[in-house]
Amino acid sequence: MNFKKILILIFFLYILIIFQTSFLVHFDILGFIPNFIIIFIALLSLFEKNKKFLSLSGLSSIVGGFFLDLFSFRLFGFYILILSLITIFIKKIIKNYVEISF
Amino acid sequence: MKKKKKNIFRNLIIVLVFIGILFLLNLYQKEIKSFSYNLFLPIQKVFWKIGDSASDFFNVFIKIKSAAEEINKLKSENKKLLYEISDLREVKKQNEFLRKALNIGLNKDFDILFANIVAKDINSDSILIDKGEVDGVLKDMPVLTEEKILVGKVEEVYKNSSKIMLISNKKSEIDVKIQKEENNNDIFGILKGEGNFKIILDLIPNEKEVFKDDKIITTSLGGIFPPNILIGKIKEVKKSDVSSFQYIEVDPYFDIKDIESLFVVKNILNH
């Protein structure tokens, strides 16, 4: 993990959370708005080569979770925990049961 | 073994640090959120504005679509109402028609059956009515207007409809008489259809005095039509030395183009 990548990732997640909370709210489908942060982190965990939690997707789940927590009324850390668990779960599944040739 | 223990210890430290950070975040939640919102606000405003405009733009299409649906709905309701109005007009017309017939006393003289014309074939001098076998219509039953004017007779009976042969049909021949002021002077003849809504009165000898506008009524001779039913009036009289009979053209009292309903006479009551 290089520093530049981490900065780009944080900036991307920052834009994504603003996009989701300020732009997408105008386009709800039957009152439902897709959570792009969760989708992005799930996809990143799925396709990242590094199968350890301390990777780009792990960091994304913490930063993304933090941003989601900022805009939620739940206890701080709820989304950080949820996203971290999703990342760990996906990585565990892929590491143990799936082989993806990149 | 030592390494494993070290790893567990390290992970435990990480978890504890993690919990500690979360605890701190919750402790200073208000300050953190306030700071973050200040940082996010300028860009959020831009995104909100864009999203708002974009949703307004798409809402216009949605509204146009719903307006179009509303128009279609109203159009179909309008059609339904127009249909109901025309239906009510028909009922009103039928009502007036029946009242007229009742005033004339058609129901006192005959056992009548009200029928609507569903098809007209003026070229073949026949019409189709909406009453048939199930309504008790039989072949050769006379057909009258509400003003007690003879139109023709039932030619063919179907299950729910009947074909009426008009008096102007080429096959039509009716025993009639020219009504004179004194009953004994009535002149008897045969009314023949010439087709194309033309009727002539035949077998009236040249010596009989016949005038224009003389009334022609039915007789009971043929056994089909009830007597004294109005048919028409004399339109034109031609006498010729070649023939011993006069050529009399008759103008019927009804115009088939104006008729929409009729009465089929099922039985004669007062004769």
Side-chain angles (χ1 to χ4, degrees):
Chain A
M1 277 203 296
N2 64 44
F3 191 65
K4 203 180 164 188
K5 262 188 181 177
I6 293 168
L7 272 181
I8 291 169
L9 184 78
I10 292 171
F11 181 73
F12 177 74
L13 288 169
Y14 168 72
I15 294 293
L16 205 61
I17 189 74
I18 291 173
F19 178 75
Q20 193 173 296
T21 54
S22 305
F23 184 85
L24 274 183
V25 283
H26 296 285
F27 303 96
D28 64 298
I29 306 155
L30 302 168
F32 173 78
I33 302 159
N35 194 326
F36 281 101
I37 295 222
I38 294 178
I39 294 167
F40 169 73
I41 287 163
L43 287 173
L44 195 68
S45 310
L46 203 67
F47 295 109
E48 197 185 23
K49 278 180 188 174
N50 192 344
K51 297 301 167 205
K52 285 178 181 170
F53 177 74
L54 286 173
S55 61
L56 218 57
S57 53
L59 187 74
S60 299
S61 62
I62 292 168
V63 177
F66 174 77
F67 285 145
L68 283 174
D69 279 332
L70 276 178
F71 289 94
S72 87
F73 293 98
R74 294 174 202 271
L75 210 68
F76 225 106
F78 174 79
Y79 278 108
I80 296 174
L81 210 67
I82 292 286
L83 289 178
S84 301
L85 287 173
I86 288 171
T87 306
I88 291 165
F89 178 73
I90 291 171
K91 283 186 179 286
K92 203 92 181 158
I93 293 279
I94 287 174
K95 193 183 173 185
N96 295 336
Y97 305 105
V98 187
E99 264 189 35
I100 300 173
S101 54
F102 291 99
Chain B
M1 190 73 179
K2 208 178 178 184
K3 202 183 173 186
K4 207 178 177 183
K5 267 187 179 176
K6 204 180 170 186
N7 273 343
I8 291 168
F9 184 70
R10 196 190 72 182
N11 287 341
L12 200 70
I13 294 280
I14 288 169
V15 169
L16 282 175
V17 169
F18 191 69
I19 291 168
I21 290 169
L22 288 183
F23 179 74
L24 280 175
L25 283 172
N26 275 298
L27 202 67
Y28 296 103
Q29 197 184 118
K30 202 179 170 188
E31 288 80 9
I32 292 165
K33 282 191 176 178
S34 171
F35 172 77
S36 306
Y37 291 160
N38 282 338
L39 200 73
F40 286 16
L41 206 64
I43 301 169
Q44 267 187 310
K45 273 184 182 173
V46 175
F47 272 82
W48 184 270
K49 232 177 177 177
I50 296 167
D52 198 31
S53 312
S55 77
D56 281 349
F57 178 74
F58 288 113
N59 272 343
V60 168
F61 287 104
I62 294 162
K63 277 177 186 167
I64 286 171
K65 203 187 164 193
S66 68
E69 277 169 10
E70 189 71 22
I71 287 168
N72 282 337
K73 201 180 154 194
L74 288 171
K75 271 184 181 174
S76 83
E77 266 178 28
N78 193 30
K79 273 181 194 167
K80 203 178 154 192
L81 288 171
L82 282 172
Y83 177 76
E84 275 174 18
I85 287 170
S86 95
D87 223 28
L88 286 171
R89 276 188 187 149
E90 277 305 305
V91 171
K92 196 186 164 193
K93 242 190 225 175
Q94 282 184 9
N95 201 0
E96 280 169 6
F97 183 81
L98 288 167
R99 272 187 200 178
K100 225 173 172 179
L102 289 171
N103 284 341
I104 286 174
L106 208 60
N107 61 323
K108 284 179 191 167
D109 298 334
F110 312 109
D111 176 13
I112 49 172
L113 178 72
F114 176 78
N116 283 310
I117 296 175
V118 287
K120 287 181 189 175
D121 188 2
I122 294 168
N123 293 330
S124 73
D125 295 81
S126 63
I127 51 174
L128 196 72
I129 57 167
D130 62 349
K131 295 286 185 306
E133 205 180 320
V134 289
D135 305 290
V137 179
L138 297 172
K139 197 175 184 263
D140 289 336
M141 276 182 174
V143 179
L144 311 177
T145 68
E146 80 274 21
E147 287 142 337
K148 217 174 171 180
I149 294 164
L150 186 71
V151 173
K153 64 173 183 177
V154 178
E155 189 188 9
E156 277 174 61
V157 185
Y158 310 105
K159 199 178 176 188
N160 290 305
S161 58
S162 304
K163 199 176 180 184
I164 309 298
M165 181 168 77
L166 299 177
I167 51 171
S168 55
N169 191 295
K170 278 181 181 172
K171 289 189 275 178
S172 170
E173 282 188 4
I174 307 163
D175 287 296
V176 294
K177 63 181 178 186
I178 301 168
Q179 202 177 30
K180 292 287 177 186
E181 280 180 17
E182 288 172 33
N183 264 351
N184 294 339
N185 293 338
D186 284 348
I187 304 160
F188 290 83
I190 289 183
L191 192 81
K192 284 181 176 173
E194 290 275 280
N196 216 8
F197 213 61
K198 204 175 163 187
I199 313 161
I200 57 152
L201 188 56
D202 205 7
L203 302 179
I204 306 289
N206 276 337
E207 61 271 17
K208 295 278 181 187
E209 281 202 9
V210 175
F211 302 100
K212 197 187 168 197
D213 291 337
D214 275 353
K215 282 179 189 169
I216 296 165
I217 56 170
T218 55
T219 67
S220 52
L221 286 175
I224 292 174
F225 298 102
N228 305 321
I229 299 289
L230 270 174
I231 294 177
K233 59 184 179 180
I234 291 174
K235 191 180 173 185
E236 198 182 359
V237 183
K238 282 178 191 170
K239 284 182 183 177
S240 152
D241 295 332
V242 186
S243 170
S244 53
F245 300 112
Q246 299 179 47
Y247 178 86
I248 302 166
E249 207 173 306
V250 178
D251 199 10
Y253 279 126
F254 70 91
D255 187 352
I256 193 65
K257 284 169 194 159
D258 297 334
I259 298 174
E260 283 178 11
S261 309
L262 295 164
F263 288 103
V264 178
V265 179
K266 290 168 90 176
N267 268 314
I268 302 162
L269 302 172
N270 290 337
H271 289 279

